[in-house]
């Protein structure tokens, strides 16, 4: 693989007239900017429906795409919505996704479009889509219907539904056929629009980079339909939840809240759920990031009874058993998010997999010359960032970390009068890493207001940042093209 470069921008961050980014025209325009800048990769965050805190890492289904990303203009073009209907759903881009507005307005419109589609000749394509994806799509549609009825987590549903009894679920489909068909149709629309976007990107020399979260949300169709695959009590609640112990990033540790896996049960059925998941997810991308790779070697389990990170303990992960399955079943190339403390078990597993690891420039300047995140220490088999979606934007990072700024300037041998962001980007591109990826916020030198996520928080502003059309200055992308060519990443 030749050296190359890319940009990180989630679909939700794109400009649009309807409250959130979509798979429509602005996504294609961004592909053109990537091509203009000589970038080979477009990295997005998980495309699943957002969950608690509007996080794409806490979704109601690991195989579904977020219906909010369905482009309304394309629905109007295809005749499933009218101009007046989508105009009434327009919303000024304030630089933030308004999820409250979307939850109260968007689904009614998508249901309307779905009903019209099912009355058209396109309905045959929907039925074929359902047959191909029934393994996860049936449970996803049922989960949404039951959530609409009871407005609670699945463990509080009536016993026959909580236990996922097929006879009762088939009866529910008959009684709620229209709703069931609409939830299926929305997934057909989302998949159709995204795959057309991916085809367009690939045609323009841009590969799509996706993300496979290691865990899934407790309140999801995945856990509800596959309860034996997770560490759950008889009442359905988790026995253990995922997280991390205290470290430099989080002094009190992190409690993610997702249930841990029942690996003993999974081994007995040959990791069937994982096989299905990796096959489905990897269809969508050319390169796939394995989130929290550490967890495949050893994972941190926190008792649900206390939900305190300090009460957790490290447990042995599935190791090579599951990694072999992921390597064999993935249709996309892979790389590892191996950030955090790396035990020898993690290092050995990464070496065994032979996939690239992740390096973060922001982590490199604690005065340790052997720090693996210093660009001089990057191996070729690495994906390198200034920072990713879990980090502060670089402009604010250097403002709030004066010691790191001094160490970076010393490392780069630049004065306080030199542009530290520009020099840092160039140093990243000059490294040995085979792929460098910049958050668009860092390319455009944006401030703290543009940060996409602060880990471990449920702030209203988390996962909500959006770009405006005026942010995408063509001149800046042409400058990136020159830098990309200079370091032979084009």
């Amino acid at each position: 693989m030749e050296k190359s470069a890319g940009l990180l921008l989630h679909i939700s961050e794109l400009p649009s007239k309807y409250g959130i980014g979509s798979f429509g025209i602005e996504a294609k325009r961004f592909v053109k900017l990537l091509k203009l800048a000589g970038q080979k990769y477009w990295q997005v965050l998980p495309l699943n429906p957002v969950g608690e805190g509007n996080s794409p890492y806490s979704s109601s289904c690991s195989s579904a795409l977020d219906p909010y990303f369905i482009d309304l203009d394309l629905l109007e073009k295809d005749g499933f919505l009218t101009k007046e209907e989508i105009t009434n759903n327009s919303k000024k881009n304030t630089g933030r996704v308004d999820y409250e507005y979307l939850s109260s307005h968007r689904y009614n419109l998508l249901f309307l479009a779905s009903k019209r589609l099912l009355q058209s000749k396109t309905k045959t394509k929907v039925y074929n889509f359902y047959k191909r994806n029934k393994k996860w799509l049936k449970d996803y549609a049922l989960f949404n219907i039951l959530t609409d009825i009871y407005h609670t987590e699945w463990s509080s549903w009536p016993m026959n539904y909580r236990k996922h009894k097929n006879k009762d679920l088939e009866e529910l489909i008959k009684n709620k056929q229209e709703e069931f068909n609409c939830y299926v149709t929305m997934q057909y629309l989302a998949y159709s629009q995204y795959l057309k976007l991916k085809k367009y990107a690939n045609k323009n020399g841009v590969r799509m980079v996706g993300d496979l979260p290691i865990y899934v949300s407790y309140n999801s169709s995945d856990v509800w339909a596959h309860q034996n695959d997770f560490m759950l009590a008889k009442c359905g609640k988790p026995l253990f939840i995922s997280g991390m112990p205290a470290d430099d990033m989080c002094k009190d540790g992190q409690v993610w809240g997702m249930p841990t896996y029942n690996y003993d049960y999974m081994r007995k059925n040959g990791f069937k759920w994982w096989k299905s998941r990796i096959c489905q997810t990897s269809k969508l991308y050319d390169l796939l990031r394995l989130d929290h790779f550490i967890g495949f070697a050893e994972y941190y389990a926190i008792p649900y009874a206390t939900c305190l990170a300090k009460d957790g303990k490290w447990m042995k992960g599935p190791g090579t058993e599951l990694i072999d399955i992921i390597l064999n079943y993935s249709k996309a190339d892979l790389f590892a998010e191996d950030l955090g403390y790396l035990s020898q078990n993690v290092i050995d597993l990464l070496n065994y997999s032979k996939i690239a690891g992740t390096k973060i420039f922001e982590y490199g300047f604690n005065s340790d010359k052997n720090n693996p995140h210093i660009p001089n220490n990057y191996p070729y088999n690495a994906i390198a960032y200034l920072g990713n979606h879990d980090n502060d934007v670089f402009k604010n990072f250097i403002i709030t970390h004066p010691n790191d700024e001094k160490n970076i300037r010393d490392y780069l041998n630049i004065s306080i009068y030199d542009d530290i962001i520009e020099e840092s980007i160039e140093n990243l591109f000059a490294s040995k890493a085979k792929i460098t990826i910049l958050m668009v916020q860092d390319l455009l030198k944006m401030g703290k207001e543009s940060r996409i996520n602060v880990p471990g928080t449920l702030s209203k502003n988390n996962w909500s940042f959006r770009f405006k059309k005026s942010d995408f200055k063509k001149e800046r992308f042409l400058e990136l093209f020159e830098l990309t060519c200079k370091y032979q990443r084009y």
Side-chain angles (χ1 to χ4, degrees):
M1 184 185 293
E2 296 179 351
K3 279 191 173 183
S4 51
L7 295 174
L8 193 166
L9 178 145
H10 193 36
I11 297 294
S12 63
E13 297 178 280
L14 287 164
S16 84
K17 297 178 288 186
Y18 307 109
I20 193 170
S22 74
F23 298 138
I25 188 64
E26 294 300 334
K28 285 190 173 182
R29 284 176 179 157
F30 185 66
V31 169
K32 291 179 180 178
L33 286 174
L34 286 161
K35 185 177 182 180
L36 180 70
Q39 305 302 288
K40 301 296 186 189
Y41 293 95
W42 176 3
Q43 182 174 349
V44 296
L45 303 181
L47 297 175
N48 314 119
V50 296
E52 185 179 19
N54 301 317
S55 170
Y57 290 88
S58 181
S59 179
S60 61
C61 180
S62 66
S63 294
L65 299 185
D66 196 332
Y68 290 154
F69 295 154
I70 296 171
D71 186 76
L72 300 185
D73 287 322
L74 290 176
L75 293 183
E76 191 249 329
K77 181 181 177 183
D78 291 336
F80 302 131
L81 290 175
T82 67
K83 189 71 173 177
E84 182 181 11
E85 286 164 346
I86 65 171
T87 300
N88 289 339
N89 271 265
S90 63
K91 185 169 175 42
K92 184 179 179 181
N93 184 359
T94 62
R96 293 285 166 188
V97 178
D98 187 341
Y99 283 103
E100 290 183 9
Y101 172 84
L102 290 171
S103 65
S104 61
H105 288 77
R106 187 56 53 86
Y107 271 95
N108 289 339
L109 199 62
L110 294 176
F111 264 80
L112 178 61
S114 297
K115 290 175 185 177
R116 289 172 178 164
L117 188 156
L118 290 169
Q119 294 168 356
S120 72
K121 294 179 180 179
T122 309
K123 65 181 179 182
T124 304
K125 293 182 179 179
V126 179
Y127 296 147
N128 291 335
F129 173 79
Y130 178 69
K131 289 177 185 177
R132 293 194 303 272
N133 295 278
K134 185 177 179 180
K135 189 179 293 185
W136 63 267
L137 187 50
K138 179 181 177 181
D139 289 323
Y140 166 77
L142 284 165
F143 184 86
N144 279 282
I145 288 170
L146 287 164
T147 300
D148 291 341
I149 294 171
Y150 295 108
H151 304 286
T152 61
E153 291 185 339
W154 63 265
S155 58
S156 297
W157 296 345
M159 185 64 73
N160 58 333
Y161 294 141
R162 177 163 73 82
K163 289 295 185 180
H164 197 267
K165 293 185 177 180
N166 286 325
K167 182 179 178 181
D168 295 300
L169 295 175
E170 291 298 334
E171 188 66 26
L172 180 64
I173 292 174
K174 290 180 183 177
N175 294 333
K176 297 285 186 178
Q177 191 70 61
E178 185 176 74
E179 291 92 333
F180 184 88
N181 290 345
C182 283
Y183 277 118
V184 168
T185 303
M186 281 190 280
Q187 285 304 301
Y188 164 78
L189 288 168
Y191 264 81
S192 298
Q193 289 190 5
Y194 171 74
L195 290 174
K196 287 177 183 177
L197 172 62
K198 181 181 182 297
K199 184 177 181 180
Y200 179 82
N202 290 164
K203 186 177 179 181
N204 282 276
V206 175
R207 304 181 77 206
M208 298 301 297
V209 184
D211 202 317
L212 184 80
I214 187 170
Y215 293 114
V216 295
S217 173
Y218 168 69
N219 195 38
S220 65
S221 58
D222 298 273
V223 179
W224 170 59
H226 304 277
Q227 295 174 40
N228 290 331
D229 286 313
F230 299 86
M231 294 296 290
L232 305 179
K234 288 183 179 180
C235 65
K237 292 292 186 181
L239 290 171
F240 297 96
I241 53 176
S242 56
M244 286 291 285
D247 58 18
D248 290 340
M249 284 187 66
C250 296
K251 300 299 182 184
D252 297 322
Q254 298 180 47
V255 180
W256 300 333
M258 291 86 161
T260 57
Y261 296 109
N262 185 347
Y263 285 122
D264 288 338
Y265 179 84
M266 284 185 160
R267 285 188 183 92
K268 291 177 184 177
N269 68 17
F271 292 92
K272 186 177 178 180
W273 179 84
W274 267 103
K275 288 176 180 176
S276 178
R277 184 190 183 198
I278 193 68
C279 281
Q280 185 66 27
T281 304
S282 65
K283 289 177 189 174
L284 301 173
Y285 308 107
D286 303 295
L287 180 62
L288 185 61
R289 172 186 182 262
L290 299 182
D291 170 57
H292 192 55
F293 186 85
I294 289 172
F296 294 106
E298 49 204 28
Y299 62 96
Y300 197 66
I302 300 167
Y304 181 73
T306 68
C307 290
L308 296 174
K310 67 180 181 64
D311 294 332
K313 59 181 179 179
W314 286 103
M315 307 285 283
K316 184 179 179 182
T320 57
E321 289 179 276
L322 183 50
I323 289 300
D324 281 340
I325 286 169
I326 292 173
L327 290 170
N328 289 332
Y329 279 79
S330 177
K331 297 173 176 62
D333 294 330
L334 303 168
F335 74 104
E337 184 273 285
D338 56 335
L339 303 173
Y341 171 72
L342 302 186
S343 68
Q344 191 58 48
N345 288 336
V346 179
I347 294 170
D348 290 344
L349 187 61
L350 187 61
N351 290 336
Y352 173 85
S353 73
K354 297 181 181 178
I355 64 177
T358 299
K359 304 300 177 189
I360 303 290
F361 187 94
E362 285 186 12
Y363 294 164
F365 299 93
N366 59 0
S367 300
D368 178 5
K369 292 183 179 179
N370 295 317
N371 187 320
H373 296 284
I374 297 175
N376 281 351
N377 297 331
Y378 294 172
Y380 175 73
N381 197 30
I383 314 294
Y385 302 77
L386 279 191
N388 67 15
H389 59 278
D390 285 334
N391 301 116
D392 201 349
V393 293
F394 195 68
K395 182 176 181 178
N396 197 56
F397 172 79
I398 58 177
I399 291 172
T400 56
H401 293 77
N403 289 337
D404 290 87
E405 181 187 10
K406 180 183 182 303
N407 291 336
I408 292 171
R409 288 190 181 278
D410 290 344
Y411 166 76
L412 296 174
N413 193 27
I414 60 174
S415 74
I416 59 171
Y417 302 105
D418 293 307
D419 187 335
I420 189 172
I421 300 178
E422 203 69 43
E423 296 288 344
S424 296
I425 291 174
E426 179 154 2
N427 190 257
L428 188 78
F429 273 57
S431 73
K432 291 181 181 178
K434 64 181 177 183
I435 300 174
T436 57
I437 295 179
L438 295 175
M439 288 200 301
V440 174
Q441 289 92 324
D442 290 338
L443 173 68
L444 302 181
K445 304 179 186 179
M446 301 179 79
K448 63 181 181 180
E449 75 288 344
S450 67
R451 183 170 184 174
I452 185 74
N453 174 47
V454 179
T457 66
L458 292 175
S459 164
K460 183 179 180 180
N461 284 335
N462 248 21
W463 307 110
S464 68
F465 172 75
R466 293 181 67 203
F467 291 94
K468 298 179 179 179
K469 281 187 181 182
S470 57
D471 292 326
F472 296 145
K473 300 288 193 298
K474 185 176 179 180
E475 295 77 12
R476 185 60 180 146
F477 288 86
L478 288 171
E479 290 171 357
L480 181 60
F481 176 71
E482 292 177 6
L483 187 68
T484 303
C485 291
K486 179 178 178 179
Y487 292 100
Q488 300 179 323
R489 294 188 175 275
Y490 177 59

